[in-house]
Amino acid sequence: LRVLESVSNPWVAISGLKFTVPLSNRLADERLTAFAVADAAWRAALVSEWELVTRLRDAWTVWSAAGQRVELLEEYLDSVEQVLKIARTQRDAQEIDVTQARVLELEKVSRAGDLVAARMRLMQLELDLKALMGLTPDAEVVLVPSFPEVPACEGEELGEQALVDGNLELALAQAKFLAADRAMRLEASRAFPDLEIGALFESEEGVERLGAGVGVPLPLWNKNRRAIAEACAMRRAARAAYQARYQDLVSRLARTRADCRATQRHGAWLRENVAPLADRHLTDVRRLGELGDMDVLILKDALSTVLDTKLQIIEAHLELSLAANRQRALLDPLRTPASESRSK
């Protein structure tokens, strides 16, 4: 300020330094809220990493099954070629007509087309695998086909408690709820006044004064009601999201266990009933051929039946492996150097 009258010292200067003493423990709440938000962000990154690992496992399983299909088709075409040689010999000897031999040729051409498509599919899946692993398409790596170990589909270890202990999505939802709860507590603490103290210095007309100030803001009307209401709403939303996620995971776990049991039974039924019957039929047809009663069309049908049965077994094994991957994604926590160091 400046005194307008003509005086020797027309200036009035006041300065001060104020400190806030958080009686409401607001600073501690801010620190805990920041830690809770950081923990939720870390868990979100861990969930993203786990989802990528799950995608890689599924892609690896599908690629392994595709390689088995290619091998089966190659073996089948070799067998058809042998039968076709016999058919040509019989045709030249006029033991069978031209149409019967043409049926085998059509079968060979058709399955050869299936083999070309299967090889192209296998190449595409390999490129997808390299992309998921961060490799270039021309990277010189040797990929070894493998299927995941299938865990038990029944048992207490697969109960709902396993979700609470090991599911990362549920852990993320819980971390978000804790962060929202801390934020609500922080906003509630801001409704209470904090003590303000500080030193004051005043110079008026050449006279200097030194003093201290103590103040307590009185929140008579607002009391941070809006921020508290918004924080409470966010907390309720986070809790509802956690409960919804838990119910969804319980349903997904039940569905995964049911798929696991169904695919196990289907694969066992194919291996124990259909496959032996198809192999026995092929053996009988070949035995008749050795005795001089060779029917190339019946032999072709027998080979085709065995091929279709083996393809069904591969498909059942693939479905079982994918179900095992889904179950592992729900129950097994991700073990990485980052997660291990974080747990310590």
Side-chain angles (χ1 to χ4, degrees):
L1 299 176
R2 187 180 189 281
V3 179
L4 299 181
E5 299 294 336
S6 178
V7 295
S8 58
N9 295 298
W11 292 101
V12 177
I14 302 175
S15 61
L17 183 62
K18 182 175 63 174
F19 299 92
T20 300
V21 180
L23 301 178
S24 59
N25 201 30
R26 176 172 47 84
L27 296 182
D29 289 334
E30 289 180 350
R31 186 181 302 107
L32 293 176
T33 301
F35 284 141
V37 172
D39 184 68
W42 174 79
R43 292 183 185 275
L46 194 60
V47 168
S48 299
E49 184 180 7
W50 185 233
E51 289 175 350
L52 178 60
V53 172
T54 302
R55 287 174 52 197
L56 178 59
R57 285 175 177 161
D58 289 343
W60 199 286
T61 302
V62 173
W63 171 77
S64 300
Q68 290 186 348
R69 294 191 189 97
V70 170
E71 293 177 358
L72 277 180
L73 288 173
E74 290 174 346
E75 294 176 359
Y76 176 76
L77 284 176
D78 292 340
S79 300
V80 170
E81 180 63 29
Q82 296 177 4
V83 177
L84 188 57
K85 291 180 181 179
I86 298 174
R88 289 168 181 167
T89 302
Q90 293 180 350
R91 181 194 59 189
D92 295 339
Q94 296 183 350
E95 296 179 2
I96 61 173
D97 55 22
V98 178
T99 57
Q100 291 178 318
R102 188 174 295 123
V103 169
L104 289 173
E105 292 177 355
L106 289 174
E107 176 69 12
K108 177 183 177 182
V109 173
S110 176
R111 294 295 185 176
D114 294 341
L115 178 59
V116 172
R119 286 173 175 170
M120 291 297 297
R121 175 62 175 166
L122 182 64
M123 184 182 303
Q124 293 172 352
L125 293 174
E126 183 174 344
L127 292 176
D128 293 341
L129 277 179
K130 290 182 178 180
L132 286 174
M133 292 186 292
L135 301 175
T136 59
D138 56 349
E140 296 181 359
V141 295
V142 178
L143 304 180
V144 180
S146 62
F147 290 90
E149 181 180 355
V150 180
C153 295
E154 299 185 19
E156 295 296 332
E157 69 277 5
L158 299 181
E160 298 178 3
Q161 185 61 37
L163 287 174
V164 179
D165 296 336
N167 187 267
L168 296 177
E169 295 182 34
L170 195 62
L172 174 59
Q174 184 181 21
K176 290 182 177 180
F177 169 76
L178 293 177
D181 181 71
R182 287 296 180 185
M184 185 198 68
R185 294 174 183 270
L186 174 60
E187 296 299 337
S189 67
R190 287 174 176 168
F192 298 94
D194 292 329
L195 179 64
E196 296 178 352
I197 60 175
L200 295 175
F201 176 79
E202 178 180 344
S203 176
E204 182 178 357
E205 297 182 2
V207 180
E208 297 179 349
R209 301 180 180 91
L210 181 64
V214 178
V216 178
L218 298 178
L220 297 179
W221 292 280
N222 184 26
K223 294 184 179 180
N224 205 29
R225 288 192 181 96
R226 177 175 178 177
I228 292 175
E230 292 177 350
C232 288
M234 294 299 294
R235 182 182 183 276
R236 287 194 294 267
R239 180 171 182 173
Y242 174 83
Q243 294 173 344
R245 176 61 61 187
Y246 176 76
Q247 295 296 333
D248 176 66
L249 290 173
V250 169
S251 299
R252 285 165 56 185
L253 177 59
R255 176 62 183 272
T256 300
R257 294 173 65 183
D259 292 343
C260 187
R261 289 192 295 267
T263 51
Q264 276 185 335
R265 293 171 182 173
H266 183 215
W269 182 80
L270 288 173
R271 290 189 298 270
E272 296 173 3
N273 296 281
V274 180
L277 186 61
D279 291 337
R280 193 179 309 116
H281 176 60
L282 179 60
T283 301
D284 294 340
V285 171
R286 285 177 172 173
R287 185 179 298 111
L288 290 175
E290 294 174 356
L291 296 176
D293 189 10
M294 171 65 73
D295 191 325
V296 291
L297 294 183
I298 294 179
L299 180 57
K300 188 270 295 181
D301 291 339
L303 290 172
S304 180
T305 301
V306 172
L307 173 65
D308 292 338
T309 301
K310 291 183 178 180
L311 289 176
Q312 291 179 19
I313 292 176
I314 292 177
E315 188 66 26
H317 192 191
L318 173 60
E319 293 178 1
L320 179 60
S321 299
L322 293 177
N325 286 340
R326 292 193 298 271
Q327 180 174 290
R328 186 175 184 181
L330 288 173
L331 297 178
D332 291 350
L334 182 62
R335 298 299 183 186
T336 63
S339 63
E340 294 294 338
S341 62
R342 180 76 178 187
S343 63
K344 294 178 182 179

